[in-house]
Amino acid sequence: MNNKGHSCTFYRILIIFAVLSPFVSTAFAQDVKIKINAPETVMIGEQFRVNYTIESSVEIQEAIIFRNMDGFSILYGPSVSSNRSVSFEKGQRVSVYTYTSSYFLEALKEGKLSLPRAEISFKGKKYKSDSFKIEVKSPDKY
């Protein structure tokens, strides 16, 4: 075979790689984030909602479950919901999956209290949420 045949094969492989690389990189990208959404301040005895949300480029269906939370009473939860959104960025289709575990809590004592950090394992890797502090105030002081 002459050099012309080798260069033609090289260009075919290069074109195939260029066409498939966006799909391959999307399939292997596993950007996973865990967020906590809660009020920053509540009163003792006040009932409020806390959402633990897993956001990912791939579907992850794992509920974040806590049996107890120091300084809070779990009134209800977890209530689990999921969502998928699709958008286009730079000509590429991007899917974002969200999986939310919601709790309704009641604050029991005064002070700066921490919500438990969420942690999941996915494909051999651990993902954790940041810590989240809630200031619980006494209604007697206001």
Side-chain angles (χ1 to χ4, degrees):
M1 196 179 247
N2 59 22
N3 281 344
K4 186 175 180 182
H6 286 291
S7 86
C8 188
T9 303
F10 173 75
Y11 285 117
R12 283 185 187 154
I13 292 171
L14 188 61
I15 289 170
I16 290 170
F17 180 76
V19 169
L20 293 179
S21 66
F23 299 106
V24 171
S25 65
T26 302
F28 290 109
Q30 295 175 1
D31 188 24
V32 178
K33 297 176 191 160
I34 305 174
K35 301 177 192 175
I36 302 173
N37 184 356
E40 293 179 5
T41 305
V42 296
M43 297 288 189
I44 294 175
E46 182 179 350
Q47 298 176 10
F48 60 97
R49 180 180 184 155
V50 176
N51 292 327
Y52 287 86
T53 302
I54 301 169
E55 201 172 273
S56 176
S57 57
V58 294
E59 189 171 12
I60 300 175
Q61 293 187 355
E62 186 169 333
I64 308 232
I65 299 173
F66 298 104
R67 300 284 179 232
N68 57 28
M69 296 185 188
D70 189 36
F72 303 102
S73 174
I74 299 174
L75 303 174
Y76 179 78
S79 170
V80 179
S81 64
S82 62
N83 185 38
R84 176 183 175 215
S85 65
V86 178
S87 63
F88 288 89
E89 294 178 15
K90 299 179 185 174
Q92 303 248 333
R93 187 175 118 176
V94 177
S95 293
V96 176
Y97 296 88
T98 56
Y99 201 74
T100 303
S101 298
S102 299
Y103 288 87
F104 287 91
L105 306 179
E106 179 181 1
L108 300 176
K109 62 183 182 180
E110 187 176 5
K112 273 239 183 223
L113 306 178
S114 295
L115 290 174
R117 292 176 62 164
E119 181 180 312
I120 64 166
S121 292
F122 181 69
K123 294 196 176 185
K125 189 171 178 187
K126 289 191 181 224
Y127 299 92
K128 296 179 182 180
S129 67
D130 289 335
S131 59
F132 193 97
K133 292 199 180 283
I134 296 178
E135 185 174 356
V136 180
K137 297 181 178 181
S138 172
D140 298 337
K141 296 181 181 177
Y142 294 94

